[in-house]
Amino acid sequence: MVGAEPAARGPPGGGAPARALRPDTCVMTDENVKPSLRARCLNAAFRRFVKERAIESFDLDGARRLVASLDRWLGMGGHARRTEVDAGGVPADWITGRAPAGPRTLLYLHGGGFMMRSPRLHAGLAARLCDLLGARALMPWYRLAPEHPLPAAHEDCIHAYRWLLAQGCPAEDIVVAGDSAGGLLTLATLQRARDAGLQAPACGVLFSPGCDLSAVDEAAAAAGDDPLLSADLLRLLARIVVTPIDPRDPAISPAAGSLGGLPPLLVQVGSTEALLGQSRKAVELTRAAGGHAQLEVWPQMPHVFQAAAWLPESRRALSRVRAFADAHRPPDGGAHGTPARAHTGIV
C-alpha cells in the first residue's frame, strides 16, 4: 500500500537496513512483505555477474560491452515494434506495443550514463508504457559523450520535443519520461521547454533519475547497497562525462536551475539505489519551487527495475504510471495546476 515512512527501518524480509526516508515519501509495499522471489533473484544476479565483476580497469569500452550484454540478456523477447524516423535531424525510433496507439505520445529518453545505449531493453520498456497509456513513443537516439560532450544530449532531446509539436502532437497528449541519465534529460527538457515558452506536456515520469552532475561523487559513495550500480561505474561517468563540462551549469544540471513551472512529476526509485538521493533532491526542489512532484520509493528494487517486464513490482509500478498520467491529463488541454484528481491507491 502507499503510506508515509515515519522512521528508518530494515527492509521487509531482512537484509541490509534501509536508509532513512523522509516522512513525506511514499513507500511502496504490499503489507510489508519482502520483495518478490524474482526481484531477489535479479538482485543476486546483478551483484554476482555485474556489480562484483572483476574489472581491473573499468574503462568506457568495458562499460559499453557490459551494457550491451545486459541489453541482450534483459532485452530478450518483448513485443516492441520499431520504425526509424528522422526527428528533424535527430535519429529516433517510433515505438509501439501490441495495443493500437491512441492519441497520446510518449517522448522516452533512455538512460545509459550519457555514454551508452541499450536499444532492446529501452524499446521494450517504452512499448509496455505505450500499451498502458494508449500511446506511441518517440525515442530519440541523442548524441553520446564523450564523443559529443554535454549539453549535446540536452539539445537533441528538446529538439525532439519541438519536432513532436511541429508534427501536430498536442502538448496535452504528450508524456515525457526517462530513466537514470534519461531522467535528468527529462527534467532538462521540461526546463528548456518552459524557458522557450513552449506549451508544457501533460506530465513527466522519471525512473531512478539523476538531477545534479556536481553530486556524482556523492552517488558513488552511496553505491554500497545498490545491487547494480557500482562506485566504479559512477566514477567512470564522473571522469568521462562530468570532467570536461561545468556540472553546476544550469543548462546541464537541472538541480542548478529552477524546477518551478514544470508539469507534474512522478519519480520512482529503489530504496537501496545509489541515485535515491538525487531522486529525492529532484522532488524536494520541485516542491520547494511550488511544483507538484510525487516520490515513490520501492523497497530493495534495483536501478530502473521497471524495465524487467517479468517482475511483479515492475508491472505494479507501471500501472501507477498509467494512473498518474491519467490523473494529470488536462481533459480540455487547459493549464497545469490542481491535479485532475488526487492520486492514491493500493499496490
Side-chain angles (χ1 to χ4, degrees):
M1 63 182 179
V2 183
E5 179 69 19
R9 66 181 178 188
R19 299 179 212 164
L21 299 177
R22 305 286 177 96
D24 59 352
T25 296
C26 287
V27 181
M28 313 307 300
T29 68
D30 187 1
E31 299 304 327
N32 295 328
V33 300
K34 59 189 175 184
S36 67
L37 175 61
R38 291 184 178 186
R40 284 177 278 147
C41 289
L42 180 61
N43 281 341
F46 277 155
R47 288 188 182 279
R48 174 66 179 86
F49 298 109
V50 181
K51 185 171 183 178
E52 297 177 3
R53 180 174 166 179
I55 302 178
E56 293 182 1
S57 178
F58 201 60
D59 60 11
L60 179 58
D61 289 340
R64 285 175 170 170
R65 286 193 299 270
L66 180 60
V67 168
S69 63
L70 283 175
D71 191 42
R72 289 191 295 271
W73 173 36
L74 294 175
M76 291 187 297
H79 54 274
R81 301 183 181 93
R82 296 166 53 187
T83 304
E84 293 181 3
V85 64
D86 180 347
V90 178
D93 280 350
W94 278 119
I95 297 170
T96 55
R98 289 194 179 98
R104 271 184 176 150
T105 300
L106 173 68
L107 175 60
Y108 195 88
L109 308 178
H110 69 83
F114 308 101
M115 304 174 287
M116 297 162 281
R117 293 179 181 142
S118 46
R120 286 187 247 184
L121 186 63
H122 283 110
L125 175 55
R128 291 166 61 218
L129 284 167
C130 286
D131 284 342
L132 286 167
L133 298 177
R136 63 173 178 166
L138 181 74
M139 186 180 295
W141 300 113
Y142 55 81
R143 289 169 290 172
L144 299 179
E147 293 85 355
H148 302 280
L150 301 180
H154 301 54
E155 294 164 356
D156 290 350
C157 292
I158 186 60
H159 194 83
Y161 182 68
R162 287 181 179 273
W163 183 80
L164 285 175
L165 296 178
Q167 298 303 301
C169 297
E172 62 269 19
D173 285 333
I174 298 176
V175 174
V176 182
D179 64 274
S180 195
L184 184 149
L185 291 172
T186 295
L187 289 173
T189 299
L190 298 177
Q191 287 175 317
R192 287 173 178 242
R194 175 201 62 198
D195 294 346
L198 302 176
Q199 188 176 354
C203 61
V205 177
L206 298 84
F207 301 139
S208 307
C211 73
D212 185 358
L213 286 171
S214 71
V216 175
D217 287 343
E218 294 175 19
D225 292 334
D226 192 308
L228 178 60
L229 295 186
S230 67
D232 284 342
L233 181 59
L234 290 165
R235 292 187 190 109
L236 175 72
L237 185 148
R239 187 171 73 249
I240 299 296
V241 176
V242 178
T243 298
I245 54 102
D246 178 4
R248 292 179 175 81
D249 183 349
I252 294 177
S253 281
S258 171
L259 294 183
L262 303 186
L265 302 177
L266 171 64
V267 178
Q268 295 179 339
V269 64
S271 66
T272 56
E273 283 201 59
L275 293 183
L276 173 61
Q278 295 236 356
S279 298
R280 183 185 287 155
K281 184 174 186 177
V283 170
E284 291 174 347
L285 289 174
T286 301
R287 290 173 177 170
H292 177 88
Q294 179 171 316
L295 175 63
E296 296 181 354
V297 178
W298 291 73
Q300 300 183 73
M301 287 299 103
H303 189 60
V304 196
F305 67 93
Q306 298 86 348
W310 39 271
L311 286 183
E313 292 90 349
S314 171
R315 293 192 291 271
R316 293 204 298 269
L318 294 191
S319 73
R320 293 186 63 79
V321 171
R322 176 180 60 188
F324 182 85
D326 288 346
H328 295 286
R329 185 181 190 184
D332 57 357
H336 295 292
T338 303
R341 56 182 171 86
H343 178 47
T344 60
I346 302 297
V347 177

